[in-house]
Amino acid sequence: MLILTRRTNERIFIGDEIILVVLGVENNRVKLGIEAPTDVTILREEIMNVATDEKNDNGSASDYLKDTIDSVKFGTN
């Protein structure tokens, strides 16, 4: 794991197409902005955990994960 220290408005580049921006730090919470191509799936850990639980219950998380991704893309949820 690479560990970096950044201040507000500083960026981290991942490859040529993904940029993380530290938007702010308030009350022990970090707000990040992520610039990435639309074909890159970005999920919070708790969403991945729900998908994993669904996979364990039903044998496949693909449909559940696809529905979850579709509902949260571009701030629609």
Side-chain angles (χ1 to χ4, degrees), residues 6-50:
R6 301 278 75 202
R7 291 188 172 100
T8 301
N9 294 320
E10 292 184 332
R11 299 172 180 261
I12 298 169
F13 292 83
I14 302 173
D16 293 331
E17 298 183 326
I18 300 173
I19 303 170
L20 299 178
V21 182
V22 178
L23 299 176
V25 179
E26 297 177 14
N27 299 324
N28 209 23
R29 295 180 66 143
V30 178
K31 184 183 276 190
L32 297 174
I34 304 169
E35 298 174 26
T38 57
D39 64 326
V40 174
T41 301
I42 301 167
L43 298 174
R44 297 184 318 259
E45 180 180 23
E46 60 271 22
I47 293 174
M48 285 299 297
N49 289 342
V50 168

Side-chain angles (χ1 to χ4, degrees), residues 53-66:
D53 292 345
E54 183 74 13
K55 179 180 178 183
N56 291 339
D57 292 343
N58 297 328
S60 174
S62 61
D63 289 337
Y64 179 81
L65 191 54
K66 182 185 179 308

